[in-house]
């Protein structure tokens, strides 16, 4: 299994047919010197094609996209590898890096988020880390806008009513929601994705964009004419509040009772970043007591969120199964970028997108 995926196609067939034993053993010798890579998921075809055609690595992968590789298997498979490609479901921590051992030089995650990686442990071991920002910005921004409109205009409730007989006569206030025109949109964490969301929302006649971050980001903010405010002001002023920050110790559960209590009863909360930035008990309370109007979540803790979770009982909470970057184009681009980062890293060259550790 370690070799077949790196053999050029015509040779691969010869190997399969076993036409010449000499060739097979030569090839095997050649391949045994190639860096070994483990891939924790059946990643989209673009990335696999790049790796296969590079002739630069021999790789093995967990050949499923439906279930993550079991931890025990992963700890076995990473033993002695030179490179590792992972997705966001794998915890890359001291235990895993110890299991991999000193050969591991490059980790390439097919994600923009890196909260599943223990950066300190990676740094300590001198392991370089590639990730996949930028290529998913459009897809995530599109989905965020879709989720925002779905939540604010109550589309899930509306289709349910239409399908199940709740649609009586046209009623004056039935299924009313909140519109973007003349609204204030708040962005928590102004980066590429926050800007892309604002650019898409601006044509809906948003009155004002505000943002908060660890510090003002005037260059970025000028693109969307956004005003820097404190977190308190963001909570108080936003009609729509979009979470666009990374999950870090500083942002963990930053959306909590205190924040929700400052928001307007008519506000909509949208999270397409990481579930961990929200205290879900506090969110449940804010939604069920009418402290805020509604929430749209693409991310939760845990994932998947158990179907018995109280948030699923609320009509004013729309929950998606972490699909913000799920377009064919984007997922293939992420896969290709992860593959290229890995190959560059293994060659000792600059990666296209490398995390500064
Ligand atoms: O890339 C990531 O971090 C994701 O969450 C995928 O949407």
């Amino acid at each position: 299994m370690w070799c077949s995926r790196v053999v050029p196609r015509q040779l691969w067939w010869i190997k399969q047919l076993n036409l010449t034993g000499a060739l097979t053993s030569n090839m095997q010798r050649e391949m045994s010197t190639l860096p070994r890579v483990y891939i924790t998921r059946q990643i989209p075809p673009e990335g696999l094609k790049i790796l296969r055609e590079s002739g630069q690595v021999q790789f093995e992968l967990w050949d499923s996209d439906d279930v993550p590789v079991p931890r025990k298997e992963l700890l076995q498979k990473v033993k002695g590898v030179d490179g590792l490609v992972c997705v966001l479901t794998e915890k890359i921590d001291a235990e895993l890096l110890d299991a991999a051992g000193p050969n591991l030089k490059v980790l390439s995650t097919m994600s923009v988020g890196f909260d599943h990686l223990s950066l300190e442990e990676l740094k300590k071991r001198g392991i370089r880390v590639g990730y996949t920002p930028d290529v998913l910005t459009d897809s995530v921004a599109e989905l965020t806008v879709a989720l925002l409109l779905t939540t604010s205009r109550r589309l899930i409730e509306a289709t349910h009513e239409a399908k199940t007989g709740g649609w009586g006569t046209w009623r004056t206030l039935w299924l009313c929601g909140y519109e973007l025109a003349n609204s204030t949109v708040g962005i928590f964490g102004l980066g590429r994705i926050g800007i892309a969301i604002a650019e898409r929302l601006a044509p809906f006649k948003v009155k004002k964009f505000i943002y908060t971050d660890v510090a003002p980001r005037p260059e970025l903010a000028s693109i969307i004419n956004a005003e820097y405010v404190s977190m308190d002001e963001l909570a108080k002023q936003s009609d729509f509040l979009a979470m666009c920050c990374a999950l870090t110790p500083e942002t963990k559960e930053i959306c909590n009772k205190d924040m929700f209590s400052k928001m307007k009863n008519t506000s909509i909360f949208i999270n397409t970043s990481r579930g961990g930035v929200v205290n879900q008990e506090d969110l449940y309370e804010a939604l069920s007591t009418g402290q805020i109007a509604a929430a749209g979540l693409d991310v939760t803790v845990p994932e998947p969120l158990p179907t018995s979770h109280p948030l699923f009982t609320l009509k004013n909470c729309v929950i998606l199964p972490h699909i913000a970057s799920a377009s064919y184009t984007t997922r293939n681009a992420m896969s290709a970028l992860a593959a290229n980062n890995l190959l560059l890293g293994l060659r000792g060259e600059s990666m296209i997108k490398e995390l500064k550790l």
Side-chain angles (χ1 to χ4, degrees):
M1 185 59 176
W2 272 103
C3 48
S4 62
R5 290 172 187 277
V6 292
V7 182
R9 190 140 192 85
Q10 60 278 37
L11 297 185
W12 186 82
W13 279 109
I14 292 170
K15 180 171 178 275
Q16 294 306 298
L17 296 167
N18 202 16
L19 293 182
T20 122
L23 185 59
T24 303
S25 56
N26 277 346
M27 280 167 46
Q28 274 170 355
R29 237 191 329 277
E30 223 172 85
M31 283 180 309
S32 67
T33 63
L34 291 174
R36 286 175 60 216
V37 171
Y38 187 69
I39 308 175
T40 67
R41 186 67 68 93
Q42 190 187 65
I43 58 170
E46 293 274 313
L48 291 178
K49 186 162 175 270
I50 289 166
L51 294 178
R52 199 180 296 120
E53 291 178 356
S54 73
Q56 193 195 311
V57 290
Q58 49 178 325
F59 67 86
E60 188 179 17
L61 83 168
W62 172 249
D63 208 358
S64 168
D65 195 23
D66 296 335
V67 281
V69 55
R71 182 75 179 179
K72 201 167 156 208
E73 166 118 3
L74 179 60
L75 293 175
Q76 281 295 324
K77 290 291 185 185
V78 296
K79 275 193 176 46
V81 294
D82 304 276
L84 183 59
V85 178
C86 72
V87 295
L88 52 83
T89 49
E90 273 72 61
K91 209 170 164 47
I92 307 297
D93 55 10
E95 180 192 37
L96 184 127
L97 298 174
D98 286 345
N103 283 355
L104 184 59
K105 291 289 173 295
V106 179
L107 169 71
S108 177
T109 182
M110 193 188 120
S111 63
V112 63
F114 44 83
D115 47 290
H116 55 302
L117 313 178
S118 172
L119 299 183
E120 206 179 305
E121 295 294 333
L122 286 154
K123 185 175 178 179
K124 212 159 74 184
R125 292 164 171 81
I127 298 169
R128 293 171 62 196
V129 180
Y131 71 136
T132 61
D134 296 340
V135 293
L136 47 58
T137 299
D138 287 334
S139 177
V140 173
E142 263 181 33
L143 189 284
T144 306
V145 172
L147 180 57
L148 186 151
L149 289 169
T150 301
T151 309
S152 62
R153 299 305 299 269
R154 304 173 62 180
L155 300 188
I156 305 296
E157 275 180 85
T159 56
H160 178 77
E161 293 295 329
K163 262 198 294 202
T164 59
W167 185 1
T169 184
W170 184 89
R171 282 174 263 174
T172 57
L173 286 176
W174 187 51
L175 286 173
C176 281
Y178 297 92
E179 61 191 42
L180 277 158
N182 283 314
S183 69
T184 297
V185 172
I187 298 166
F188 192 115
L190 191 69
R192 299 166 287 254
I193 292 175
I195 294 289
I197 293 168
E199 284 174 332
R200 282 159 178 77
L201 292 180
F204 284 88
K205 299 189 180 171
V206 168
K207 187 175 69 191
K208 191 175 169 191
F209 288 105
I210 55 178
Y211 74 102
T212 201
D213 211 314
V214 281
R217 307 192 69 180
E219 260 180 48
L220 268 184
S222 67
I223 301 172
I224 52 162
N225 203 14
E227 183 191 330
Y228 181 74
V229 295
S230 67
M231 189 180 154
D232 273 9
E233 280 305 312
L234 193 84
K236 282 184 199 157
Q237 291 185 35
S238 297
D239 296 304
F240 298 88
L241 175 48
M243 296 305 294
C244 300
C245 60
L247 173 61
T248 63
E250 292 72 37
T251 59
K252 190 168 189 298
E253 300 198 1
I254 197 156
C255 305
N256 52 28
K257 196 180 178 76
D258 182 51
M259 188 191 94
F260 295 128
S261 70
K262 290 175 184 135
M263 289 174 71
K264 305 178 211 180
N265 297 155
T266 51
S267 292
I268 311 276
F269 174 77
I270 301 295
N271 186 13
T272 49
S273 62
R274 282 291 183 265
V277 303
V278 179
N279 179 312
Q280 289 178 173
E281 279 174 26
D282 292 353
L283 176 62
Y284 175 83
E285 196 187 318
L287 288 168
S288 57
T289 59
Q291 172 56 44
I292 65 172
L297 313 173
D298 182 48
V299 284
T300 59
V301 176
E303 290 182 4
L305 191 67
T307 52
S308 58
H309 194 281
L311 283 172
F312 277 122
T313 64
L314 300 174
K315 281 189 179 168
N316 57 349
C317 187
V318 176
I319 300 174
L320 302 178
H322 201 149
I323 55 162
S325 65
S327 75
Y328 293 111
T329 307
T330 289
R331 288 287 168 84
N332 266 302
M334 290 167 74
S335 174
L337 180 51
N340 282 320
N341 280 340
L342 176 91
L343 294 175
L344 288 162
L346 286 173
R347 291 206 297 268
E349 296 172 26
S350 300
M351 296 184 197
I352 301 167
K353 293 291 172 184
E354 184 165 349
L355 272 176
K356 286 189 186 71
L357 298 183

